[in-house]
Coordinates of all heavy atoms in Angstrom, one line a residue:
Chain U
S331 N 112.1 151.6 -90.6 CA 113.2 150.8 -90.3 C 112.8 149.7 -89.3 O 113.2 148.5 -89.4 CB 114.3 151.6 -89.7 OG 114.0 152.1 -88.4
L334 N 110.9 146.9 -91.2 CA 111.7 146.0 -92.0 C 112.5 145.0 -91.1 O 112.5 143.8 -91.4 CB 112.7 146.8 -92.8 CG 112.2 147.7 -94.0 CD1 113.2 148.6 -94.5 CD2 111.6 146.8 -95.1
A335 N 113.0 145.6 -90.0 CA 113.8 144.7 -89.2 C 112.9 143.7 -88.5 O 113.3 142.5 -88.4 CB 114.5 145.5 -88.1
T336 N 111.7 144.1 -88.0 CA 110.9 143.2 -87.3 C 110.4 142.1 -88.2 O 110.3 140.9 -87.8 CB 109.7 143.9 -86.7 OG1 110.2 145.1 -86.0 CG2 108.9 143.1 -85.7
A338 N 111.8 140.8 -90.8 CA 112.9 139.9 -91.1 C 113.1 139.0 -89.8 O 113.3 137.8 -90.0 CB 114.1 140.6 -91.4
A339 N 113.1 139.6 -88.6 CA 113.4 138.8 -87.4 C 112.3 137.7 -87.2 O 112.6 136.6 -87.0 CB 113.4 139.7 -86.2
V342 N 112.6 134.8 -89.8 CA 113.6 133.7 -89.5 C 113.1 132.9 -88.3 O 113.2 131.7 -88.3 CB 115.0 134.4 -89.2 CG1 116.0 133.3 -88.8 CG2 115.4 135.2 -90.4
G372 N 122.7 132.1 -94.8 CA 121.9 133.2 -95.3 C 120.9 133.6 -94.2 O 120.7 134.8 -93.9
L373 N 120.2 132.6 -93.6 CA 119.2 132.9 -92.6 C 119.9 133.6 -91.4 O 119.3 134.6 -90.9 CB 118.5 131.7 -92.1 CG 117.5 131.0 -93.0 CD1 116.9 129.8 -92.3 CD2 116.4 132.0 -93.4
A374 N 121.0 133.1 -91.0 CA 121.7 133.7 -89.9 C 122.0 135.2 -90.2 O 121.9 136.0 -89.3 CB 123.0 132.9 -89.5
F375 N 122.5 135.4 -91.4 CA 122.8 136.8 -91.8 C 121.6 137.7 -91.7 O 121.7 138.8 -91.1 CB 123.4 136.8 -93.2 CG 123.8 138.1 -93.7 CD1 125.0 138.7 -93.2 CD2 123.1 138.8 -94.6 CE1 125.3 140.0 -93.6 CE2 123.4 140.0 -95.1 CZ 124.5 140.6 -94.6
C376 N 120.5 137.2 -92.3 CA 119.3 138.1 -92.2 C 118.9 138.4 -90.8 O 118.5 139.5 -90.4 CB 118.1 137.4 -92.9 SG 118.4 137.2 -94.7
F377 N 118.9 137.4 -90.0 CA 118.5 137.6 -88.6 C 119.5 138.5 -87.9 O 119.1 139.4 -87.1 CB 118.5 136.2 -87.8 CG 117.7 136.2 -86.6 CD1 116.4 136.6 -86.5 CD2 118.3 135.8 -85.4 CE1 115.7 136.6 -85.4 CE2 117.6 135.8 -84.2 CZ 116.3 136.1 -84.2
T378 N 120.8 138.4 -88.2 CA 121.8 139.2 -87.6 C 121.5 140.7 -87.9 O 121.5 141.6 -87.1 CB 123.2 138.9 -88.0 OG1 123.4 137.5 -87.8 CG2 124.2 139.6 -87.3
I379 N 121.3 140.9 -89.2 CA 121.1 142.3 -89.7 C 119.8 142.9 -89.0 O 119.8 144.0 -88.6 CB 121.0 142.4 -91.2 CG1 122.3 142.0 -91.8 CG2 120.6 143.7 -91.7 CD1 123.5 142.9 -91.5
S380 N 118.8 142.1 -88.9 CA 117.6 142.6 -88.3 C 117.8 142.9 -86.9 O 117.3 144.0 -86.4 CB 116.4 141.7 -88.5 OG 116.6 140.5 -87.9
L381 N 118.5 142.1 -86.2 CA 118.8 142.3 -84.7 C 119.7 143.6 -84.6 O 119.4 144.4 -83.7 CB 119.4 141.1 -84.1 CG 118.5 139.9 -83.9 CD1 119.3 138.8 -83.2 CD2 117.3 140.2 -83.1
L382 N 120.7 143.7 -85.4 CA 121.5 144.8 -85.3 C 120.7 146.1 -85.6 O 121.0 147.1 -85.0 CB 122.7 144.8 -86.4 CG 123.7 143.7 -86.1 CD1 124.8 143.7 -87.2 CD2 124.4 143.9 -84.8
S383 N 119.8 146.0 -86.5 CA 119.0 147.2 -86.8 C 118.1 147.6 -85.6 O 118.0 148.7 -85.2 CB 118.2 147.0 -88.0 OG 117.4 148.1 -88.4
L384 N 117.6 146.5 -85.0 CA 116.7 146.8 -83.8 C 117.6 147.4 -82.7 O 117.2 148.2 -81.9 CB 116.0 145.5 -83.3 CG 114.9 145.0 -84.2 CD1 114.5 143.6 -83.8 CD2 113.8 146.0 -84.3
A385 N 118.8 146.9 -82.6 CA 119.7 147.4 -81.6 C 120.3 148.8 -81.9 O 120.8 149.5 -81.0 CB 120.9 146.4 -81.3
G386 N 120.2 149.2 -83.2 CA 120.6 150.5 -83.5 C 122.1 150.6 -83.8 O 122.8 151.6 -83.4
I387 N 122.7 149.6 -84.4 CA 124.1 149.6 -84.7 C 124.4 150.2 -86.0 O 123.5 150.0 -86.9 CB 124.7 148.2 -84.7 CG1 124.3 147.5 -83.3 CG2 126.2 148.1 -84.9 CD1 125.3 147.8 -82.2
P388 N 125.4 151.0 -86.2 CA 125.6 151.6 -87.6 C 125.7 150.5 -88.7 O 125.9 149.4 -88.4 CB 127.0 152.2 -87.4 CG 127.1 152.6 -86.0 CD 126.4 151.5 -85.3
L389 N 125.5 151.0 -89.9 CA 125.4 150.2 -91.1 C 123.9 149.7 -91.3 O 123.6 149.1 -92.3 CB 126.2 148.9 -91.1 CG 127.7 149.1 -91.3 CD1 128.4 147.7 -91.2 CD2 128.0 149.8 -92.6
T390 N 123.1 149.9 -90.3 CA 121.7 149.4 -90.5 C 120.8 150.6 -90.3 O 121.1 151.6 -89.8 CB 121.3 148.4 -89.4 OG1 121.5 149.0 -88.1 CG2 122.2 147.1 -89.5
A391 N 119.5 150.4 -90.8 CA 118.6 151.5 -90.8 C 118.3 152.0 -89.4 O 118.0 153.2 -89.1 CB 117.3 151.1 -91.5
G392 N 118.3 151.0 -88.4 CA 117.9 151.4 -87.1 C 118.8 152.4 -86.4 O 118.4 153.2 -85.6
I430 N 122.5 136.5 -81.7 CA 123.6 136.4 -82.6 C 124.6 135.4 -82.1 O 125.2 134.6 -82.8 CB 124.3 137.8 -82.8 CG1 123.3 138.7 -83.5 CG2 125.5 137.7 -83.6 CD1 123.7 140.2 -83.7
M433 N 123.5 131.9 -82.6 CA 123.6 131.4 -84.0 C 125.0 131.2 -84.4 O 125.3 130.2 -85.1 CB 123.0 132.5 -85.0 CG 121.5 132.6 -84.9 SD 121.0 133.6 -86.2 CE 121.7 135.2 -85.9
Y434 N 126.0 132.0 -84.0 CA 127.3 131.9 -84.6 C 128.3 131.2 -83.7 O 129.2 130.6 -84.2 CB 127.9 133.3 -84.9 CG 127.3 133.9 -86.1 CD1 126.2 134.8 -86.0 CD2 127.8 133.7 -87.4 CE1 125.6 135.4 -87.2 CE2 127.3 134.2 -88.5 CZ 126.2 135.1 -88.4 OH 125.6 135.6 -89.5
L453 N 112.3 138.0 -97.4 CA 113.3 138.1 -96.4 C 114.5 138.9 -96.8 O 115.0 139.8 -96.1 CB 113.7 136.7 -96.0 CG 114.7 136.5 -94.8 CD1 114.1 137.1 -93.6 CD2 115.0 135.0 -94.6
W454 N 115.0 138.6 -98.0 CA 116.2 139.3 -98.5 C 115.9 140.7 -98.8 O 116.7 141.6 -98.6 CB 116.8 138.6 -99.6 CG 117.7 137.4 -99.2 CD1 117.3 136.1 -99.1 CD2 119.0 137.5 -98.6 NE1 118.3 135.4 -98.6 CE2 119.4 136.2 -98.3 CE3 119.9 138.5 -98.4 CZ2 120.6 135.9 -97.7 CZ3 121.1 138.2 -97.8 CH2 121.5 136.9 -97.5
C456 N 113.9 142.6 -97.1 CA 114.0 143.3 -95.8 C 115.4 143.6 -95.4 O 115.8 144.7 -95.0 CB 113.3 142.5 -94.7 SG 111.5 142.4 -94.9
T457 N 116.2 142.5 -95.5 CA 117.6 142.6 -95.1 C 118.3 143.7 -95.9 O 119.0 144.5 -95.4 CB 118.3 141.3 -95.2 OG1 117.5 140.3 -94.6 CG2 119.6 141.3 -94.6
I458 N 118.2 143.6 -97.2 CA 119.0 144.5 -98.1 C 118.5 145.9 -97.9 O 119.2 146.8 -97.8 CB 118.9 144.0 -99.5 CG1 119.7 142.7 -99.6 CG2 119.4 145.0 -100.5 CD1 119.6 142.0 -100.9
A459 N 117.1 146.0 -97.8 CA 116.6 147.4 -97.6 C 117.1 148.0 -96.3 O 117.5 149.1 -96.2 CB 115.1 147.4 -97.5
T460 N 117.2 147.1 -95.2 CA 117.8 147.6 -93.9 C 119.2 148.1 -94.1 O 119.6 149.2 -93.6 CB 117.8 146.5 -92.9 OG1 116.4 146.0 -92.8 CG2 118.2 146.9 -91.6
L461 N 120.0 147.3 -94.9 CA 121.4 147.7 -95.1 C 121.5 149.0 -95.9 O 122.2 149.9 -95.6 CB 122.2 146.6 -95.7 CG 122.5 145.5 -94.8 CD1 123.2 144.3 -95.6 CD2 123.5 145.9 -93.8
V462 N 120.7 149.0 -97.0 CA 120.7 150.2 -97.9 C 120.3 151.5 -97.1 O 121.0 152.5 -97.2 CB 119.8 150.0 -99.1 CG1 119.7 151.2 -99.9 CG2 120.4 148.9 -100.0
G464 N 120.6 151.9 -94.1 CA 121.6 152.2 -93.1 C 122.8 152.9 -93.7 O 123.4 153.7 -93.0
Chain K
L149 N 132.1 145.5 -85.1 CA 131.4 144.2 -85.5 C 132.4 143.2 -86.0 O 132.4 142.0 -85.5 CB 130.3 144.5 -86.5 CG 129.2 145.2 -85.9 CD1 128.2 145.6 -87.0 CD2 128.5 144.4 -84.8
F153 N 133.2 139.6 -84.2 CA 133.0 138.2 -84.8 C 134.4 137.5 -84.8 O 134.4 136.3 -84.6 CB 132.4 138.4 -86.1 CG 130.9 138.5 -86.1 CD1 130.3 139.8 -86.1 CD2 130.1 137.4 -86.0 CE1 129.0 139.9 -86.0 CE2 128.7 137.6 -85.9 CZ 128.2 138.8 -85.9

Side-chain angles (χ1 to χ4, degrees):
Chain U
S331 70
L334 290 171
T336 313
V342 179
L373 286 183
F375 179 74
C376 292
F377 198 55
T378 308
I379 294 297
S380 64
L381 289 181
L382 291 180
S383 182
L384 290 171
I387 305 278
L389 287 180
T390 58
I430 296 177
M433 286 189 300
Y434 284 96
L453 182 59
W454 280 99
C456 293
T457 309
I458 290 170
T460 303
L461 284 174
V462 169
Chain K
L149 293 175
F153 278 92

